[in-house]
Amino acid sequence: MPAPDDRPAFRLRRYKQCLTPALHKRFNRAAGLLLGICYFEAVLIGNKSSWLWSWFPFGLVGIRTLLLFLAALSVFVLRVAQLHLGSRSSSSPFQTFRKEILSLKVIQTFGWYAFSAWLFGEIYIWSASKEANLGWISDGKPWERNRLNERPIYLRSVFLMLTVVQTAIHLCLDYDRVSLPVSKRKHDDVAQKQSPALPQKLPTIVKPMEELRLRIPALLRAIGLQTASIATVGPIIYALFIRKRAWDITMFCTNLFSNVAPATDLSYIPPYHISLIWRSMTSGFLLVFLWQSSNAVFSAFFTQEPLKRGQPLTTESIVPNEALLDGLKSTMEVNRTFAFWELLYISNYFENRRRTIYTEISRSGPSTWTLVMQTSLAAIQAIQTRITEYQKPPSISNPSQQKPNVEPLPRLVPNLRQGQIFVSPSAPSTPMQKIESTIGNLAKSLGQSPPSRNITPIGLASPGVKKLSNLAGQKLLTQAPSQQSELNPTSFKETLNTHLQNFIRSPLGYPFRQPFARRINAVAFGTPQGYSDVFVILNAIEALSVLAIASLKEDPYGKVATDVGAIMKAYIQVLGTLYQFVEGMGVHWTDIEGRATSEDVDLVCTKLKEGLRGMVEAFEPYAKDFGIEDKIMTTARGVAGEG
C-alpha cells in the first residue's frame, strides 16, 4: 500500500477538456449533413444510363460520395485550423491586406481549396460519359496521330480560376470567423424590487437547419454570380495567360504515363464549344456549391450555445467552477470566449449553479466569486488600458545619447593670422602661396566691386534666349485670371485634394477608407492577436451585473455586497474613458460617411448603463450598510439615467 505522500496528485479537469468533446460532437453532426450534400452531388454528376445504379449508394455512387466528402472535408480542416471568433481589428481593409498578404494563412487557404478543386475535377472527369470527350488523349482518324485533348485542360483551368476567386472571397469576407450571437436582454424587473431577470426557460436559439434554410437564397445568388463571372471571363483569361503553360505541363505528364506519343502542336483556336462552356458552368456551380455549403454548415453548427444536454458544459466536471475559472483565465481565444458565454448562461438561467459561485469560499486562495469578479473586471477594464496606451505620447529618450559624433570637415583655407593682423603680409615666395594669394585677391575684388546688372542667368545668356524669356514673361502676365490661379500653390493643393476625394468615393478607393467605427473598435476592443474582444466584454458585463444583483437574495455570507462599490466604480471609469475617447477621435478624411458612431461602442455603453441601473436600484437602500460611497452612488445614478 503506497504511503499517503506517494499518492498521485489530484488533477482538476481543464475547461478545454469540457469544450473539446462538445465541439467534436458539433463537428460530427456537421460532417454528417455534409456527407448528404456530397451524395446529392455524386448522383448529379454520375452516369444516368442505369436507373438503379445512378442513385444506389453501394456502388460507384458511394465511391464518388466518399471522394467528394474528402474534397469537402478539406474546407472543414481549413476552418478548424484558422478558426477565430472576433472580427478583425484593423482601421481599413488595406491595412488588413498588408498584414495578411505575406502570412501563412494565404498559402494555407489557397492550398486547401486547390486540393479540393483538383480532387473534385478528377472525380468529375472520371464520372463523365464517353460522349463528353474528356479523356487525356483524343483519338484521331486512322491516318492521323493521336492528339492531346484540350477539353479537360480547359476544364481543369476553370477549376483553378475558381480556386483563386474562392480564396480571395474567403480571405476578404473572413470566412474563418464564427460570429456568435450577442444577448440583448434587459433587466427590467429589477425596478420592481424583484430578483433580476432570471428566466428559468432558456432563450430560443436558431437551430442549424433553420439557419441554413434561411441562408439558401443568399448562397445560391453568390454561387450563381461567381460561376457566371468565371464562365464569362474564363475563356479570355485561359487563352491569354494559362493555355500555353497548361498545355506544356499536360504534355509532359502525358509522356510520363502514356506510351502513346500525341501530336505536340497547339491549335490556334481554343476548343470553345458550347457543350464545353456549359459543362464548365455546371461543374463550376457544383464545385462552388460544395465550398459554400461546407462553410455555411460549419458556421451554423459551431454557433450553438455552450450547453450539453441542456446544462452548462462544465456541469459534468468533478469541480465545475474550477473548470469554468480555468476557461475564464485561458489565453486561447476559443476557450476564453466560450467560458464567458457559459458564465453568462449560468448567471441568467441556472439558479442552483449560480448559488455555488457565492457559497464556494472554503477553498485555497480567493473565493470563486472573487476570481469571477477579477477576471470579468479585467476583461472590461482592458478597454481603458488599451485607450490609455493609444493616447500615451511616444517616449523620448535622452537626447545626449542620440547625439551623433560629427567629424569636422577638411579645412580648405589656412588658419586666421594671429598677432599683428594690420601689418602688410610678406610677399609670397612658394608656388602654393602665390596661388592662394591670387585666389584671395580675386575673391576680394568680387566682393568689393558693385554688382553688374547683367550678372544674372538671363543677362549672361545669348540674345535669342533673352528674347524667348521676355516672350514667356509677357505670356504669363497676359493669361486669364483662372489660368493664373491654377499656378498658385494653394489652388494646386485644393485640386489634388478634390481628386483624392473622388478616388476615395469610387469603388477603387474602398480598401483605403478608414471608417470611424473601425478605427475606434481597433483601439478599444483590439487584441494582440488582431481580433476584436467585444463579445467577451459584453458577456462579462452582463454576467457580472446579474451576479451582483442576484447576490442580494442568494449570497448567504454577504461577500458580494462589499464588492459592489468597486464594480460600479469600474463601470463608471470605463464609461467615462469611452465617452472621452469617442469625442476626441475625429473623423478621418477617408471616411466618406462621416458618422462618428460605432455600434459596438454603443452596445458596450448600453450594457454598462443597464448594469449600473440595476445595481443602483437594488443596492441604493443599503448603500451605507455595504460601504458604498455616496459619490459613487450619485455618479452611477446620473450615468445610468442618461440611457
Side-chain angles (χ1 to χ4, degrees):
M1 183 176 180
D5 297 339
D6 297 336
R7 294 175 182 176
F10 177 72
R11 187 174 181 179
L12 296 176
R13 192 178 187 186
R14 300 176 63 86
Y15 186 79
K16 182 180 180 180
Q17 296 175 313
C18 302
L19 177 63
T20 302
L23 297 182
H24 282 173
K25 184 178 180 180
R26 300 178 188 185
F27 186 93
N28 294 335
R29 293 175 60 192
L33 179 58
L34 188 61
L35 184 64
I37 297 175
C38 294
Y39 171 75
F40 173 72
E41 289 202 0
V43 173
L44 291 179
I45 67 177
N47 194 348
K48 308 299 188 299
S49 59
S50 175
W51 176 81
L52 177 62
W53 294 107
S54 63
W55 61 269
F56 194 64
F58 300 101
L60 294 179
V61 175
I63 297 176
R64 283 196 300 268
T65 300
L66 294 178
L67 293 176
L68 287 174
F69 179 69
L70 182 60
L73 201 61
S74 62
V75 180
F76 274 26
V77 175
L78 174 64
R79 293 293 302 273
V80 172
Q82 300 181 169
L83 175 66
H84 66 90
L85 305 177
S87 60
R88 291 167 175 165
S89 57
S90 58
S91 59
S92 66
F94 181 72
Q95 184 180 3
T96 304
F97 173 79
R98 286 194 311 168
K99 179 181 178 181
E100 297 190 355
I101 189 60
L102 298 178
S103 64
L104 183 62
K105 181 184 295 185
V106 177
I107 301 175
Q108 188 170 252
T109 304
F110 177 79
W112 282 111
Y113 276 119
F115 170 76
S116 178
W118 169 79
L119 187 57
F120 177 88
E122 299 305 316
I123 297 170
Y124 182 85
I125 294 175
W126 164 66
S127 304
S129 61
K130 188 175 181 180
E131 291 77 11
N133 191 17
L134 295 179
W136 280 56
I137 303 297
S138 178
D139 297 334
K141 296 180 181 180
W143 60 86
E144 293 179 344
R145 295 180 61 186
N146 293 330
R147 180 178 178 82
L148 190 64
N149 192 1
E150 194 176 355
R151 291 170 63 90
I153 298 177
Y154 173 76
L155 204 58
R156 291 186 177 93
S157 301
V158 169
F159 296 153
L160 176 62
M161 287 184 277
L162 288 172
T163 300
V164 175
V165 174
Q166 181 67 22
T167 301
I169 294 175
H170 184 104
L171 295 174
C172 292
L173 301 184
D174 198 10
Y175 279 7
D176 296 323
R177 181 197 176 195
V178 175
S179 181
L180 301 178
V182 177
S183 172
K184 297 184 179 181
R185 189 179 59 80
K186 298 182 179 181
H187 316 301
D188 296 333
D189 54 347
V190 179
Q192 303 175 5
K193 308 302 180 183
Q194 300 175 357
S195 179
L198 304 171
Q200 299 299 320
K201 186 177 179 181
L202 292 173
T204 302
I205 302 294
V206 179
K207 299 300 180 182
M209 298 303 297
E210 181 66 19
E211 182 179 349
L212 290 173
R213 187 185 66 82
L214 297 175
R215 295 182 62 177
I216 285 177
L219 283 176
L220 292 179
R221 286 195 299 268
I223 295 169
L225 179 61
Q226 185 175 345
T227 307
S229 61
I230 292 298
T232 303
V233 186
I236 302 175
I237 298 177
Y238 172 77
L240 295 179
F241 305 104
I242 302 178
R243 189 185 182 206
K244 185 62 171 62
R245 183 64 59 85
W247 176 273
D248 295 339
I249 294 174
T250 308
M251 178 66 68
F252 176 78
C253 296
T254 304
N255 293 331
L256 291 177
F257 300 102
S258 176
N259 294 326
V260 180
T264 59
D265 54 330
L266 184 63
S267 61
Y268 292 101
I269 302 176
Y272 294 151
H273 193 270
I274 185 63
S275 61
L276 182 61
I277 300 299
W278 175 252
R279 277 193 175 275
S280 66
M281 288 186 61
T282 54
S283 60
F285 183 89
L286 293 176
L287 176 59
V288 178
F289 179 79
L290 190 65
W291 287 338
Q292 297 287 16
S293 59
S294 300
N295 283 301
V297 169
F298 185 91
S299 299
F301 278 91
F302 273 75
T303 54
Q304 298 303 297
E305 63 275 9
L307 302 176
K308 184 179 181 180
R309 301 187 187 95
Q311 295 295 322
L313 295 177
T314 55
T315 301
E316 298 181 355
S317 177
I318 299 176
V319 186
N321 288 337
E322 289 284 352
L324 178 63
L325 288 171
D326 179 75
L328 296 178
K329 295 182 291 185
S330 176
T331 56
M332 298 181 62
E333 183 197 16
V334 176
N335 295 348
R336 181 168 174 264
T337 303
F338 271 90
F340 272 100
W341 198 10
E342 182 179 347
L343 178 64
L344 175 67
Y345 270 77
I346 292 173
S347 62
N348 277 312
Y349 309 109
F350 299 95
E351 180 179 351
N352 294 332
R353 178 68 182 277
R354 184 175 64 247
R355 289 178 181 271
T356 62
I357 297 178
Y358 308 130
T359 57
E360 286 187 0
I361 60 174
S362 57
R363 59 188 302 279
S364 59
S367 63
T368 301
W369 156 253
T370 302
L371 293 176
V372 169
M373 181 191 67
Q374 290 176 354
T375 53
S376 300
L377 285 180
I380 299 169
Q381 292 176 326
I383 300 175
Q384 191 174 3
T385 304
R386 286 188 284 261
I387 293 177
T388 304
E389 289 293 330
Y390 176 79
Q391 294 176 336
K392 184 183 298 183
S395 58
I396 302 176
S397 57
N398 190 0
S400 61
Q401 298 178 357
Q402 298 182 353
K403 186 176 180 180
N405 296 326
V406 180
E407 297 183 359
L409 295 175
R411 183 174 296 277
L412 301 179
V413 296
N415 296 330
L416 297 177
R417 293 176 56 190
Q418 303 293 334
Q420 299 294 331
I421 62 175
F422 295 101
V423 179
S424 300
S426 58
S429 58
T430 63
M432 182 59 66
Q433 292 179 353
K434 293 180 180 180
I435 295 175
E436 292 177 358
S437 176
T438 304
I439 296 176
N441 295 333
L442 178 61
K444 287 188 288 184
S445 63
L446 290 176
Q448 295 173 358
S449 59
S452 175
R453 296 180 180 180
N454 292 330
I455 303 301
T456 61
I458 301 299
L460 297 175
S462 61
V465 175
K466 294 180 181 179
K467 184 177 180 181
L468 292 176
S469 175
N470 294 332
L471 291 176
Q474 295 176 3
K475 183 66 177 177
L476 289 175
L477 293 175
T478 56
Q479 281 182 342
S482 60
Q483 295 178 351
Q484 293 183 6
S485 63
E486 293 179 356
L487 300 176
N488 191 350
T490 304
S491 177
F492 175 76
K493 184 177 180 181
E494 293 177 354
T495 305
L496 181 60
N497 291 338
T498 302
H499 289 304
L500 287 176
Q501 288 288 345
N502 294 335
F503 172 75
I504 291 297
R505 294 179 181 274
S506 66
L508 295 178
Y510 170 76
F512 305 97
R513 299 174 191 170
Q514 298 186 21
F516 182 85
R518 291 191 62 153
R519 293 171 58 225
I520 199 169
N521 292 345
V523 177
F525 310 126
T527 60
Q529 291 76 21
Y531 303 112
S532 174
D533 204 27
V534 67
F535 184 79
V536 170
I537 295 171
L538 292 173
N539 289 337
I541 295 172
E542 183 171 351
L544 190 61
S545 302
V546 173
L547 287 173
I549 299 171
S551 68
L552 197 60
K553 292 186 177 182
E554 298 177 0
D555 182 12
Y557 308 111
K559 174 65 176 176
V560 178
T562 59
D563 297 326
V564 172
I567 297 174
M568 297 173 66
K569 182 178 180 180
Y571 281 17
I572 294 171
Q573 291 176 348
V574 173
L575 268 173
T577 303
L578 268 177
Y579 280 143
Q580 293 178 359
F581 185 60
V582 170
E583 293 177 358
M585 174 75 77
V587 178
H588 199 262
W589 69 272
T590 59
D591 189 358
I592 60 176
E593 296 181 357
R595 293 183 300 179
T597 58
S598 171
E599 183 179 356
D600 290 344
V601 172
D602 294 342
L603 194 56
V604 170
C605 292
T606 302
K607 289 287 185 181
L608 289 171
K609 290 181 180 180
E610 290 177 359
L612 285 173
R613 186 182 304 116
M615 285 185 283
V616 167
E617 294 172 351
F619 290 94
E620 189 172 17
Y622 320 102
K624 294 184 178 179
D625 299 333
F626 295 149
I628 303 176
E629 300 178 5
D630 294 339
K631 180 180 179 181
I632 294 178
M633 187 63 66
T634 303
T635 306
R637 190 188 306 109
V639 172
E642 296 176 359

